[in-house]
Amino acid sequence: MKKGLITLVLAVVAAIAVSPVCFLLAGMLMDNQELTECLAPVFSDGEGFVRWHIIPRYPTLQNLVELLLDAPEFFQMFWNSVKITVCILGGQLVFGMTAAWGLARYQFRGKKVVYMLFIVLMMMPFQVTMLSEYLVLDSLRLMDTLSAVILPGIFSTFPVFIMYRFFCSIPKSIIEAARIDGAGEFRIFLSMGLPLGSAGILSSLVLSFLECWNMIERPMLFLKSKELWPLSLFLPQIKAGRAGFAFCASLMAVLPAIFVFLSGQDYLEQGIASAAAKE
Amino acid sequence: MTGKGRRMPDMEEKKKTDEKKKKRGSRFWLRGLALWLTVMLAFTAASRIADSITIAKANTEQITGRRIRHTVSASGRIEQNRELAVVTEPDILIESVAVREGESVEEGELLLQLDLESISGQIDAVNRDIQSLELQNQALSDGRSLEDAKRETDIMRAQEDYEETVRENEAAAADARRELREAQANLEQAEQELREAQTNLEQAKQEPETKDLTQEQANPGTGAPDLEVLQAYAAQKQSAYDACKASLSEKEAALEAALQTQKTEEKAAARTLEDANTPQAPDHTAEINQLTIEEYRTKLQKLERLRESKGRVTALKKGTVTGLYVSVGQKTTDTAAVTVSDESAGYRFVAKIQGEDVSYVTAGDAAELKSAGKTVQNCTVTSVEAGENGETYTVSVQLDKDSFRPGESAVMNVIRESDEYPYTVPLTALLQEDRKTFILVVDMENTVLGQQYVARKVEVTVLDKNSDYAAIESAALDSDSQVITDTDRYVEAGQRIRLIEN
């Protein structure tokens, strides 16, 4: 009984949480006339309330076909997003992982200061650092290039923090045993650190993916050429009256994130649990 | 073996199984992501292919400055400046025709051969006509003399009748007057006597002593007259007076009647005389006949000359036969049988142009004429005249003698160049919408797909144009602009285009 009640409450909350996605799916299959009728209060000075049909009265694939075959700019932005995300994640694996291992397993002068810096930088919102980033990128002549978005992402502090927690949880005795067996530091990192910290690495990659895939401020600020814009900047360009097309584009944009989340869901849970436990 | 030892392996197996499931689930979603990316890649290609198919391809041209050349072309014919009509005597049979239309002839060259017998017949007919008219005139002349004599006789008789009437009527009137005078005298006399008798009667009535006197007077020698006698005498005088008065009236009436008769008869006689003197309507038949005779004589001379030349009709001047209005076997008419252009007067080219072209052709302009295999330049337009309807104009170009033949067709080209305009575009680049003229120029736009060519609409004013180019004016143009001259599909402003490389 108690379990059923809990399930019911959770189901209701889940339904509310999932409802925007359901609206998205329904809107994607509606034609422009039906959407105009439902969304008329939005476009007509806010009089009345929006009506919505969970199941469209006149379903059509017109918007989907238009998006997939008649909107090459969507795919240009999609692959820009893929490029940015893959480069950032790759960079984080190279630099973030090694930085987190170094902070977690080694003692050096100024370690606490560096760690504090990482924490402070992680806490700062983008609006605080964007001017300094702009000046640095401009002096490096990286403005209006994908590197202006990728490089700051590679050297982001949040993934380091996540992976640091996991690397810290690796028992010293295992590392020492490996050293005694004659493994070098890099070997220890590759053979011991990466497998044992894989949960943290993957969870940070999932979170980083979600952050990079939905990035808006940096591209809007640093990328002037529209051909470099990521997918997150496509939706604002869709004009009013093309709501169905916008719904389709939104769904296409969210699908990769869903795939990545579902594939890395367990590691994400482990990462969050680990962080909570450490706290 | 303890229970805990047996639970330990179960938990580990369960843990391993859970991990395997999680890994399988994770791999499943990763494969889904890979598949999704593959599908997106395929649709990326498909979308690009569809875009390359749907994007409009455009031909462009640089906007340059140039002069607008107006070429007015018109087809027309060569005409002679002077044309001579060859007229011969009518009603003569044509034996043969020696020329055809468009043929060149020399002066004196045979044009027509007329039948000599027909000419001779014409001559005979004319002679007969002349003779007939002469006889008519003779008859007219004789008849006129008789008429004149008769008329004189009538006049003389009328005159005599008139004079006699006047005389007789005057005599009658004189008699009537005389009788009237006599009647008047008698009336006066009677009146006098009456008056005397009345006086005596009055006196007798008034004085008795005078009675005797009265009687004595009434009856002189009788002693004293009687009153009754005086009365009777007075009555008698009264009667005599009345009778004289009546007679006078009759005489007056007779005089009046005589005068009236005189007037009437004299008037009638005068009219008769006047009628006799009225001149007769002039009869010019003889003169007309004489004129006709002279005409016939002239015609006879021509026919005789024609017979002397053995019926040959030749060209008067060197030229080209422009019209042939007779044929073998027909008879000649009184209109031109042949028309020949006078080569010495030269030729001109005549063509019609539309009203919209007339502003580019004026007298004095240089013109070029082209005919089959021949081009003559440096001709001059001599005149441009409006047609009757005002929509077409006739252009004349003077030609040299040897350049063309009359009747030949040719094409005239008059070229006029305007001043240099800074912006000119091909005519195919001009578009019309809502009564406004605009062009589409190529702009480079920074789009999601990179630098793309986009069509931009620019409203222009057309200053001048010919069949190929138009001079335009707009504040939004510069010399580096590329204008879209042609597309393979409809292009709207703001639409992406693809340039066709020439």
Side-chain angles (χ1 to χ4, degrees), chain A residues 102-104 157 188 259:
Chain A
L103 280 173
T157 52
I188 291 170
F259 280 118

Side-chain angles (χ1 to χ4, degrees), chain A:
Chain A
M1 177 66 177
K2 189 177 175 183
K3 196 173 176 184
L5 192 65
I6 292 168
T7 307
L8 180 66
V9 168
L10 289 174
V12 167
V13 172
I16 293 170
V18 165
S19 59
V21 180
C22 296
F23 291 158
L24 206 64
L25 285 168
M28 187 182 84
L29 298 174
M30 287 184 191
D31 62 5
N32 284 333
Q33 188 176 344
E34 192 175 351
L35 280 167
T36 306
E37 287 171 9
C38 293
L39 298 175
V42 175
F43 300 117
S44 60
D45 301 328
E47 291 177 7
F49 292 97
V50 170
R51 294 180 291 114
W52 204 252
H53 309 137
I54 297 297
I55 299 173
R57 282 185 189 164
Y58 307 100
T60 175
L61 294 177
Q62 180 188 352
N63 296 316
L64 192 63
V65 171
E66 190 180 337
L67 179 72
L68 293 178
L69 293 177
D70 206 21
E73 56 271 14
F74 169 79
F75 291 99
Q76 176 72 24
M77 288 177 155
F78 175 83
W79 293 110
N80 284 344
S81 289
V82 169
K83 219 183 289 182
I84 291 169
T85 305
V86 167
C87 288
I88 289 175
L89 294 182
Q92 284 177 352
L93 282 176
V94 172
F95 296 99
M97 248 181 359
T98 50
W101 179 257
L103 280 173
R105 306 311 306 185
Y106 296 98
Q107 301 296 325
F108 52 90
R109 188 183 290 183
K111 174 183 169 176
K112 283 189 180 176
V113 174
V114 171
Y115 184 71
M116 286 308 294
L117 274 175
F118 265 90
I119 299 295
V120 167
L121 284 172
M122 188 178 70
M123 303 273 283
M124 280 188 182
F126 170 72
Q127 288 78 7
V128 172
T129 58
M130 71 177 180
L131 182 59
S132 56
E133 277 187 42
Y134 185 95
L135 292 171
V136 169
L137 290 168
D138 191 50
S139 65
L140 292 175
R141 298 179 195 264
L142 292 176
M143 287 299 289
D144 203 28
T145 64
L146 284 179
S147 300
V149 176
I150 293 170
L151 285 176
I154 288 173
F155 297 101
S156 173
T157 52
F158 183 70
V160 173
F161 177 76
I162 298 288
M163 286 187 276
Y164 166 82
R165 304 302 299 175
F166 276 82
F167 288 148
C168 283
S169 66
I170 298 173
K172 279 185 187 173
S173 57
I174 296 175
I175 305 300
E176 284 175 4
R179 277 201 190 100
I180 291 169
D181 287 339
E185 297 302 322
F186 193 66
R187 183 68 189 273
I188 291 170
F189 169 68
L190 284 178
S191 302
M192 310 298 289
L194 291 184
L196 293 174
S198 61
I201 294 167
L202 290 171
S203 70
S204 78
L205 283 178
V206 169
L207 292 172
S208 292
F209 178 90
L210 297 174
E211 184 187 347
C212 295
W213 189 256
N214 299 316
M215 194 191 302
I216 285 185
E217 292 103 346
R218 279 206 178 87
M220 197 181 284
L221 190 64
F222 299 142
L223 299 178
K224 300 299 177 196
S225 300
K226 290 184 183 177
E227 60 187 327
L228 298 175
W229 284 3
L231 195 57
S232 52
L233 295 181
F234 179 71
L235 289 175
Q237 290 191 67
I238 298 173
K239 297 183 182 125
R242 296 186 71 193
F245 184 80
F247 284 128
C248 270
S250 302
L251 186 69
M252 293 294 127
V254 87
L255 277 177
I258 292 173
F259 280 118
V260 167
F261 176 79
L262 290 173
S263 66
Q265 182 180 358
D266 296 323
Y267 301 105
L268 197 60
E269 286 172 7
Q270 289 178 28
I272 294 168
S274 171
K278 287 292 179 189
E279 292 299 326

Side-chain angles (χ1 to χ4, degrees), chain B residues 51-186:
Chain B
D51 182 63
S52 68
I53 292 171
T54 56
I55 193 169
K57 297 188 186 69
N59 281 312
T60 61
E61 196 172 303
Q62 188 87 18
I63 294 179
T64 56
R66 56 163 56 87
R67 297 174 189 273
I68 298 292
R69 171 178 282 197
H70 294 280
T71 303
V72 178
S73 294
S75 297
R77 291 174 62 85
I78 308 299
E79 295 180 352
Q80 54 287 337
N81 284 334
R82 196 157 69 112
E83 200 175 29
L84 301 172
V86 177
V87 184
T88 184
E89 292 305 307
D91 295 324
I92 300 176
L93 188 67
I94 297 170
E95 188 176 299
S96 65
V97 177
V99 294
R100 61 181 183 282
E101 223 172 285
E103 190 177 327
S104 296
V105 293
E106 297 292 328
E107 186 177 338
E109 189 174 329
L110 177 69
L111 300 175
L112 305 172
Q113 177 63 54
L114 303 179
D115 184 37
L116 283 174
E117 281 186 16
S118 181
I119 295 170
S120 298
Q122 284 285 314
I123 290 172
D124 292 342
V126 170
N127 279 328
R128 282 196 297 274
D129 290 336
I130 292 171
Q131 203 176 11
S132 169
L133 288 171
E134 283 175 346
L135 289 172
Q136 275 185 25
N137 282 354
Q138 184 63 40
L140 283 171
S141 174
D142 294 343
R144 196 174 291 176
S145 305
L146 288 172
E147 278 188 17
D148 288 343
K150 182 175 177 297
R151 184 164 174 268
E152 284 179 10
T153 305
D154 290 341
I155 291 171
M156 189 177 67
R157 285 181 182 173
Q159 185 68 35
E160 285 175 0
D161 290 343
Y162 174 75
E163 289 171 358
E164 189 176 335
T165 302
V166 167
R167 271 198 310 276
E168 288 176 357
N169 285 325
E170 281 181 358
D175 289 343
R177 285 192 191 93
R178 183 177 49 75
E179 290 176 4
L180 179 64
R181 281 195 299 275
E182 287 176 1
Q184 282 176 343
N186 292 337

Side-chain angles (χ1 to χ4, degrees), chain B residues 174-202:
Chain B
D175 289 343
R177 285 192 191 93
R178 183 177 49 75
E179 290 176 4
L180 179 64
R181 281 195 299 275
E182 287 176 1
Q184 282 176 343
N186 292 337
L187 182 64
E188 287 172 3
Q189 182 68 32
E191 186 179 9
Q192 179 71 28
E193 289 175 359
L194 175 63
R195 208 173 289 125
E196 287 176 358
Q198 286 175 344
T199 303
N200 291 336
L201 182 61
E202 287 297 322

